[in-house]
Amino acid sequence: MRAYRPLDGVRILTFEAAVTLPAATRALADLGADVVQVRRPKRVLGNMIATYDGTMINKATVSIDLRLDEGRALALRLAAAADVVGNNFTPRVMRGFGLDPETLRALKPELIVMQLTGYGMPGPWAEYPAYGPSVEAAGGMNRSIGAEGDLPVRVGSGVFADQLAGRYATLALLAALAHRERTGEGHYIDLSMYESIVHVLGPQVMAASRASDGTRGGGVPQRTGNRDPLRAPQGIYPSAGEDEWVAISVGDDRQWAALRELIGEPLLNSPELATLAGRIERHDAIDEAVAAWTSTRTKDEAAELLQQRGVAAGPVQAAGDLALDPHYAARGHFRTVRHREDFEGADAHPHLSQVPKAVGMSRPAMREPRADGADNALVLRRWLGLDRAEVGRMRRAGVLGDPGPLHQQDIRIDQRGPYDADHVRKLGLSGSPSDGQAGASGGPSNAPSTRQSGI
Amino acid sequence: MLRVIELAGGLASQFATMTLAELGADIVKVELPGGDAARSRRQAAPGDFSFEYLNRRKRSVCIDRSTKQGRKLLLDLVSGADAVVEDLDAAIVRRQRLSYRSLRAANANIVVASISPFGRSGPRAEWVANDFIVQAMGGIVHGTGWDDGPPQKLPGELAGFLAGLQAAAMTVGAVFGVRRDEPGGERGDHHGGAGGVHFDISMQEAVSTHWTREIERWVYHGLGGSRGNRDMGLQGFPHTVMARDGWVFVLALMAEWEPLAHFLGLDDFVTHEWSDPQTRYERWAEIEPQFTASIASRGKYQWLTDSAEAGYTFAPIDDVLEMQHSPQLAARDFFGSTEVDGEALKHPRLPFNWAAAPAGENRAPTLGEHTDEVLDHLLGIAGDERAKLRAAGVTG
């Protein structure tokens, strides 16, 4: 089966850091685009493996010293050979290198240029730096999670706004490519991470913009935690084990009858609970009975039993559950990326696909992240026709950096989890995991090698 | 112009087509005679403006696609369109014979984005679910909330919106792929000109991709991660703090302690002794009074500006009304205005600028508002023929 690659041959040059634009260009790389990330030689930004690996897959890297005239000239030549040039630094960074959007747009009218910033350009906050959690807070997200009276609640993902703005950037760049295909025109796109958050809160924004008189749904929506005005009971209930939970949502009276019968708690047979209004009224008491039932079962058992009776329910999945989720496995949502050398004790690791499944085609193949500058010669030959001698000269002149190290640690050893032979076995990988302290071997596992399984 | 047929079962498809309408696509919303189920949401829950937000700029065509003639009208519309976005129940797709194969028979180049809770393959494809269940199963929720309480859901039908956003991007990308493969296109007859494709979009997967980093931390390091609101975790001081006029998010990742402590006015704690987050965490009671008083001494927008000038990334923790008064969003003319019951309500526009004008009127259409227009202009059906279809209940 071939992979779906509508962007085959599309060239994307990207000056990017952290997660947001890297996530966007990663999705485009998964769709077949030729994505080249420009890195600066000997900068110890590093390939912080667990944080950034997911955004570096399927990309090539060149390392160019943009402080040198010749480095900047080389970057401009690459930009002129590209279809798309993007960056997600604060605006002054690219201005400082003479690679600002205006200069790039002047290279050729069909070039698509993206500036992705925390708060968008222009505007009084245009130059302000931001991380994802800053704009989640400013955009209204934290005040929309949890129950009325709670403190603001952060999204439980350090990169939510990054990924979200990355998805909008993917949309914007694909739309710009489609627009160019039809009209021949390029485009300057200014994308705001802040506005990306607000955009997914549209219904709440509309409600808030309407004056409240208490009856017609105006004003800032009340926070309802895990509950819902149209479904009860709905909640997240403790299941057997530590920090294990199951989500249940009773959508109608038939589901309620099924839940009641399954749990068998006489209290729930009260006729007052036969209607939605009655169940909302006594939600706390119902929750107690439901929690008593769920807490003696695993989250998967509880969800299965409810699902068999047509009740909407599911395990609240943690990161490890997702990596091992049999449903995801059946759909190929994770694909194994092989390393040239063992890393963290295994020769390959599974990664999420960043684009949806195209029916009848395989999920995108995945290539390990490349060390900084590992593709200098290849990219300069393919994009600019430079020969080996010229690339060698640029390297000696310090315009191009030498390939850097591929992997660096991104967390302290003492913060690590129990990464051991069992973990590697669960992942279905081969290798010799270290104990994380002194690099001692934990011994080879019996799991089949991914090298042999032909992934 | 891109033309997209929407067959909505839930909100995900409507979010996808709303973003495409903002980009200038002609969205033909094909509704059953009873109307899109989302039309009645506000009746059931008065503060729910989902339908009004998600259906701006669309044309509503009322066709009973369960009838033979209705189905033919729908397929005729498909034959003149670039894409179909749907999130119908799988059983309805089967019963009404609206699978990708049927749609492709009407138009070999059609791009179809199907959105469902778990995707249409795999052992859980038929599980009963709604947005809340999908969020819980997709990750993020497990990390949201407090360490000593249950995980918390994210606002609204976010799983559907994230899947809809994917569907919009994939639809545009696929149409680009189709166009460049056409004779005369950039790649000529590269793939034989038959560029149609069917996306099987899973809301659960869409949620998980926003949790990539946490999943990778488990894959590489075996780290489970605790609930995300552990305020002291990252920096050894709280993130969510009361400023003079409301909450401010105090964030200074990877910042050196001494200049940061100086910036925060923590005059007694500027020394190296306090530079380890673990130390600050353990001895927080000593720092807290000065920290709390310092943050409370300025307004939240002032903190944003002052921190940006110092290279930090503090932000106001606004609610969805306060945020509407942000000077940044005002300067960018970010909010549009749509009419609901004779009243103008504010709504967010796309988070990026766009060259082409958006499609249609900036309001949700009434049921069947554009039936005659679409039948006439797109299918050439007018006069008696159109009247007959209406009389037979095929259209409305």
Side-chain angles (χ1 to χ4, degrees), chain A residues 53 125 190 195 199 351, chain B residues 53 208 216 220 328 332 353:
Chain A
D53 204 5
W125 304 353
D190 140 50
E195 291 171 5
H199 195 254
H351 290 283
Chain B
Y53 178 53
S208 292
E216 302 223 335
Y220 277 120
Q328 175 71 2
R332 291 171 59 76
N353 61 312

Side-chain angles (χ1 to χ4, degrees), chain A residues 183-377:
Chain A
T183 64
E185 294 165 11
H187 204 327
Y188 165 63
I189 298 164
D190 140 50
L191 194 145
S192 157
M193 203 153 62
Y194 178 36
E195 291 171 5
S196 302
I197 289 291
V198 183
H199 195 254
V200 296
L201 295 173
Q204 293 92 325
V205 168
M206 284 177 64
S209 80
R210 184 182 227 196
S212 170
D213 72 354
T215 60
R216 53 191 200 120
V220 176
Q222 293 260 315
R223 293 197 286 165
T224 60
N226 287 328
R227 292 186 181 174
D228 188 285
L230 302 181
R231 291 187 295 266
Q234 174 172 294
I236 288 179
Y237 301 92
S239 57
E242 195 179 327
D243 200 19
E244 300 277 318
W245 307 86
V246 59
I248 301 172
S249 176
V250 171
D252 54 35
D253 295 343
R254 190 197 54 75
Q255 290 192 19
W256 169 246
L259 175 91
R260 206 159 41 91
E261 204 168 292
L262 176 63
I263 291 182
E265 162 58 55
L267 190 98
L268 301 182
N269 295 335
S270 156
E272 290 159 337
L273 303 181
T275 64
L276 174 68
R279 294 194 292 274
I280 286 176
E281 178 81 27
R282 289 165 185 76
H283 210 304
D284 289 343
I286 297 174
D287 280 355
E288 216 168 292
V290 173
W293 183 81
T294 56
S295 56
T296 61
R297 288 159 181 82
T298 68
K299 60 188 174 191
D300 288 313
E301 278 166 10
E304 281 284 355
L305 287 168
L306 288 159
Q307 284 284 345
Q308 282 163 15
R309 286 157 182 79
V311 180
V316 180
Q317 305 214 85
D321 300 322
L322 289 163
L324 304 175
D325 184 334
H327 182 73
Y328 277 179
R331 290 175 54 78
H333 189 37
F334 280 84
R335 291 200 71 170
T336 302
V337 178
R338 291 170 52 183
H339 308 303
R340 269 165 293 265
E341 50 192 86
D342 283 11
F343 180 71
E344 288 282 6
D347 63 0
H349 284 93
H351 290 283
L352 286 169
S353 172
Q354 295 294 311
V355 294
K357 188 178 166 75
V359 179
M361 297 188 212
S362 67
R363 297 277 188 152
M366 291 192 200
R367 204 176 61 229
E368 184 182 37
R370 302 281 286 160
D372 289 6
D375 303 297
N376 284 346

Side-chain angles (χ1 to χ4, degrees), chain B residues 86-88 114-120 125 163 200-204:
Chain B
E86 60 96 358
D87 58 352
L88 300 172
S114 296
I115 310 171
S116 56
F118 305 108
R120 294 213 170 126
D200 171 17
I201 296 173
S202 149
M203 287 161 57
Q204 185 194 13

